[in-house]
Amino acid sequence: MSQMPSVLITGAYGFVGHKLCQHLIQSGYQVDAWVREIDETKAVLGVRYFGVGNFDHSTTDRMKVLLSENPVDYLCHLAARVHQMSESSVNKRAKYLQTNFEFTKRLYLAASQSSLKRFIFLSSVK
């Protein structure tokens, strides 16, 4: 009997991520999700959630450990800093770049050193 394919989703609580988790579970995939904080009210039954904190440079070491301890076949990266256009933070551009560019780059580098078969990057930002 073959092992079911496994997928890691970042951004699993977002609109696209939530729907993707539901679809993958219904299609027989093993699904892991990295989220900032675990929230049972947003969870999809059957998905294993891992709270990783902010998606920024502080998560880099934790990413490598999680990928080595919980290997997956595919990674679908959806996590992003979006919808903060009216944020009053002085550093909103820096935070945007840190999450959407630097974190994505670090995640890709960590994934490239794992047994991952495919890295899929999607964005639904308008």
Side-chain angles (χ1 to χ4, degrees):
M1 183 157 125
S2 65
Q3 180 180 345
M4 67 178 114
S6 56
V7 181
L8 169 63
I9 308 291
T10 67
Y13 289 156
F15 179 77
V16 174
H18 186 80
K19 296 291 185 189
L20 181 59
C21 285
Q22 289 175 325
H23 176 75
L24 291 171
I25 287 292
Q26 291 170 355
S27 299
Y29 286 79
Q30 173 188 317
V31 180
D32 290 352
W34 288 0
V35 294
R36 288 179 182 93
E37 294 179 4
I38 295 174
D39 182 345
E40 296 296 325
T41 65
K42 297 178 181 179
V44 172
L45 187 63
V47 175
R48 290 190 318 168
Y49 290 90
F50 297 86
V52 296
N54 289 327
F55 291 108
D56 60 24
H57 67 280
S58 66
T59 312
T60 303
D61 291 337
R62 182 138 166 75
M63 287 188 297
K64 291 176 183 175
V65 170
L66 283 171
L67 285 170
S68 68
E69 291 177 352
N70 305 284
V72 293
D73 298 313
Y74 308 100
L75 190 158
C76 187
H77 178 47
L78 301 168
R81 185 173 184 80
V82 296
H83 309 302
Q84 279 91 14
M85 301 313 228
S86 62
E87 180 182 55
S88 62
S89 169
V90 175
N91 297 322
K92 65 181 172 184
R93 186 176 193 293
K95 288 180 179 178
Y96 178 88
L97 289 173
Q98 185 178 51
T99 301
N100 295 351
F101 175 71
E102 289 298 330
F103 176 77
T104 300
K105 181 173 75 172
R106 291 171 194 259
L107 177 60
Y108 178 77
L109 291 173
S112 70
Q113 297 170 7
S114 72
S115 61
L116 191 73
K117 293 177 184 174
R118 180 139 330 200
F119 184 98
I120 302 161
F121 175 56
L122 296 173
S123 175
S124 63
V125 173
K126 54 183 171 179

